[in-house]
Amino acid sequence: MTGLDAFVADLADQLVTCVYLVVDQSTHEVTLCSAGHLPVIALPPDGPARMLQTPVGVPLGVNDPCGAGVPFQQATRPAPLGTTPAIYTDGLVERPGTDIETQIHTLARTLDTALKGVPADQESLDQTADLLIKTLPPDTATHDDDVTLLLIGLPMPEGEAFVPDRCDGGPLRPRRDGVPVSAPARAAPAADSDRNLYICSVGIATVSRAVAVPCS
């Protein structure tokens, strides 16, 4: 983050918020660092959506590159396999006449409702991103702030998957509690690689799309 801060400081009249995450699947933890960004929301496989608390530093570009500056801090939080983190810009949750903290909690509740009981695969993440983009911001035709949302589906443990939890003849909705079955439900590390495939859905303004991206 310090390197990014120095880079932005070289740009004229630029202040940028930023947050980065480093996911360690071996310890089931995520390390975060925030430069003035809104809190990351995480939906674990066995509980309600919650904000990942981390110290919030100044935005990039505030520190004097020739001075001591305000140091950035990071924090490590639990991130069980099967967790779905959500990263977003303020354009998603800022609405005239409303408290931004209230809107963030609304985002967390909506994410929880939309993904509770379903696997965080490409289709469900894309549908959830589309729902959040359409319902949280004001009218996008007149909204002049950027609206960006990133949903990341961390893989379930190998050998665990979602199984249907309905027996009433209605549409099947898989569970998020990882009942052991014969095959994993999400992308596992390739045999010849130490990289994992995370299922991501990116929502930008009124356009949302789902992609699988390799992450170290």
Side-chain angles (χ1 to χ4, degrees):
M1 193 69 82
T2 301
L4 288 173
D5 190 35
F7 174 79
V8 174
D10 287 337
L11 305 177
D13 302 321
Q14 291 291 321
L15 294 179
V16 180
T17 66
C18 177
V19 63
Y20 76 72
L21 285 71
V22 177
V23 179
D24 188 335
Q25 292 194 80
S26 64
T27 62
H28 304 166
E29 293 176 326
V30 58
T31 299
L32 309 93
C33 185
S34 174
H37 204 75
L38 296 172
V40 176
I41 296 173
L43 176 63
D46 57 355
R50 55 187 174 83
M51 283 172 275
L52 297 179
Q53 301 297 330
T54 188
V56 180
V58 297
L60 303 179
V62 170
N63 283 328
D64 183 352
C66 299
V70 180
F72 296 100
Q73 302 179 61
Q74 63 185 32
T76 300
R77 301 287 180 249
L81 296 180
T83 295
T84 303
I87 308 171
Y88 52 95
T89 60
D90 56 3
L92 182 68
V93 291
E94 281 189 338
R95 184 182 285 236
T98 62
D99 179 70
I100 192 170
E101 295 292 335
T102 300
Q103 287 295 96
I104 292 174
H105 286 290
T106 299
L107 168 60
R109 289 194 304 270
T110 306
L111 178 67
D112 188 276
T113 300
L115 286 178
K116 185 64 68 180
V118 300
D121 55 18
Q122 288 189 1
E123 182 179 4
S124 60
L125 287 181
D126 186 64
Q127 291 175 349
T128 301
D130 188 57
L131 169 68
L132 294 170
I133 291 291
K134 288 181 178 179
T135 58
L136 285 176
D139 182 10
T140 54
T142 58
H143 194 48
D144 59 359
D145 199 357
D146 65 285
V147 178
T148 305
L149 169 67
L150 172 65
L151 301 178
I152 307 170
L154 302 184
M156 289 291 292
E158 188 172 357
E160 296 186 3
F162 299 103
V163 297
D165 65 354
R166 294 195 58 164
C167 301
D168 58 2
L172 296 179
R173 292 178 60 83
R175 287 205 304 258
R176 290 182 61 88
D177 55 5
V179 176
V181 293
S182 59
R186 292 203 183 126
D192 58 351
S193 172
D194 60 356
R195 312 185 81 191
N196 292 334
L197 283 178
Y198 291 167
I199 303 301
C200 300
S201 183
V202 182
I204 303 176
T206 56
V207 179
S208 62
R209 57 189 175 87
V211 294
V213 298
C215 302
S216 298

